[in-house]
Amino acid sequence: MAKYHILSLDGGGLRGLITVIILQRLNAEPGLKGWIDNVDLVAGTSTGGLLALAIAKGLDLQTLRDLYAVKGKKIFDDSWFDDVVDLGSIIGAQYSNRNLTRELINIIEKTTLGDLQKCVMVTSFDLDNEDPDPKKRSWKPKVFHNIPGQANDDSMLAYKVALYTSAAPSYFPAVDGYVDGGVFANNPSMCALAQTQDSRNTARPALSDVVLLSLGTGTSLTYIKGKNLDWGLAQWVKPLISVMMDGVNGIADYQCKQLLESHYHRLAPKFPPGVSIPLDAVKRVPEMIDFANNVPLDDTVAWMKAQWI
């Protein structure tokens, strides 16, 4: 039976460092070395989209680790001048994307999706489809991909797509009208699975041939106490994004599990109770490294040896 391998990478900002370290650890496991070479489709959202594009280009994992651990401070650089102009991010994004753009061009170069070595799928959200028909003009989810067939995005510059998927609302400004795909698919596993079944593809793998490994960037054990919350905008603004993202992560996990059964595995490590690491936690890079190095991998390794290899 021919297998079709999908690697799916969640969003999570600087916590993408955790994903990279887990990928490195899996690659170092006896019997798994070079397993990433078998990936047929690498999918990602936000920081996971950035990683997906870089992996599809063939970049080594250490280069990607350095992007987070060494250059993350430059990417999430909030100058005092920006704070003054944006009134402390009340009326503007917290960070400029200038440094992120520079680093992306550095590592991905001006490569198009069609030039990449692997098939890739990256989520984003189009704030205005600019349809000339006012009855059709609206915002909509957008999935960029280079899967052979009709209506792919082979001509798109990879670094541009990386900027689109990484434009987290309030953190970075929108780019060309696109924002972070995490607003609808922070866990892109189900999007990736559905994309393989698109009738416009040149070839479609049977669902029974698909094996899918989904990696999260660290989950906080978050909850809101109270049974009858009479909250308004002021109370909901802060937790609402987390509520939405955790919700879509969970439903994508459930859907893939039902469709693929034993051919699907998700590793979404949980932070200890009371621990939460924001998307831009530059000062907590050592903590993230320590956490990623101690995530138990036994179940994931066993699944990969049974299903992936």
Side-chain angles (χ1 to χ4, degrees), residues 109-128:
E109 302 171 325
K110 294 194 175 180
T111 306
T112 65
L113 297 193
D115 293 331
L116 298 175
Q117 298 175 17
K118 292 183 180 294
C119 286
V120 68
M121 187 222 77
V122 176
T123 66
S124 189
F125 193 86
D126 186 357
L127 295 175
D128 181 1

Side-chain angles (χ1 to χ4, degrees), residues 272-291:
V275 173
S276 178
I277 300 180
L279 307 184
D280 57 349
V282 174
K283 294 180 180 178
R284 298 175 70 179
V285 162
E287 182 182 348
M288 283 188 264
I289 293 173
D290 183 63
F291 174 78

Side-chain angles (χ1 to χ4, degrees), residues 30-53:
L32 293 184
K33 186 173 179 59
W35 67 272
I36 294 180
D37 296 338
N38 294 333
V39 173
D40 295 290
L41 172 64
V42 54
T45 290
S46 193
T47 197
L50 188 160
L51 289 173
L53 290 161

Side-chain angles (χ1 to χ4, degrees), residues 42-298:
V42 54
T45 290
S46 193
T47 197
L50 188 160
L51 289 173
L53 290 161
I55 290 170
K57 189 177 187 301
L59 295 178
D60 65 274
L61 294 175
Q62 189 58 47
T63 297
L64 299 180
R65 180 167 176 163
D66 290 344
L67 178 66
Y68 291 92
V70 179
K71 298 176 181 177
K73 185 176 181 181
K74 187 181 296 184
I75 292 170
F76 289 98
D77 179 25
D78 190 22
S79 72
W80 66 267
F81 181 74
D82 282 340
D83 277 346
V84 170
V85 172
D86 299 336
L87 298 183
S89 75
I90 293 175
I91 60 169
Q94 190 165 352
Y95 304 102
S96 162
N97 60 16
R98 288 188 299 271
N99 291 333
L100 176 59
T101 302
R102 191 176 301 115
E103 294 301 334
L104 288 173
I105 293 175
N106 235 5
I107 64 169
I108 301 178
E109 302 171 325
K110 294 194 175 180
T111 306
T112 65
L113 297 193
D115 293 331
L116 298 175
Q117 298 175 17
K118 292 183 180 294
C119 286
V120 68
M121 187 222 77
V122 176
T123 66
S124 189
F125 193 86
D126 186 357
L127 295 175
D128 181 1
N129 65 9
E130 298 183 334
D131 196 298
D133 184 347
K135 294 179 181 178
K136 296 180 180 179
R137 187 171 183 176
S138 180
W139 56 22
K140 63 183 179 67
K142 168 62 181 173
V143 173
F144 292 93
H145 72 89
N146 62 354
I147 297 173
Q150 300 173 15
N152 63 23
D153 303 283
D154 279 1
S155 63
M156 287 294 303
L157 288 169
Y159 89 88
K160 279 280 193 178
V161 175
L163 285 173
Y164 298 162
T165 192
S166 301
S170 81
Y171 284 90
F172 290 111
V175 180
D176 297 340
Y178 291 97
V179 294
D180 197 318
V183 300
F184 75 94
N186 199 53
N187 170 359
S189 299
M190 191 61 197
C191 290
L193 183 58
Q195 195 65 54
T196 67
Q197 303 303 301
D198 192 316
S199 61
R200 294 170 294 181
N201 296 348
T202 301
R204 288 183 287 171
L207 279 180
S208 58
D209 292 340
V210 175
V211 288
L212 197 162
L213 174 61
S214 174
L215 298 180
T217 60
T219 304
S220 299
L221 297 169
T222 308
Y223 56 89
I224 298 174
K225 291 192 293 185
K227 302 294 184 184
N228 301 293
L229 300 172
D230 186 17
W231 283 7
L233 290 174
Q235 294 99 330
W236 274 115
V237 163
K238 188 173 181 180
L240 192 57
I241 292 178
S242 295
V243 169
M244 291 169 59
M245 286 190 174
D246 285 351
V248 296
N249 283 355
I251 196 64
D253 180 39
Y254 171 81
Q255 291 166 334
C256 287
K257 203 174 294 181
Q258 300 311 306
L259 290 171
L260 298 180
E261 299 180 333
S262 63
H263 285 192
Y264 168 77
H265 179 81
R266 178 160 170 82
L267 175 60
K270 291 182 173 63
F271 297 126
V275 173
S276 178
I277 300 180
L279 307 184
D280 57 349
V282 174
K283 294 180 180 178
R284 298 175 70 179
V285 162
E287 182 182 348
M288 283 188 264
I289 293 173
D290 183 63
F291 174 78
N293 281 329
N294 287 285
V295 169
L297 296 181
D298 291 350

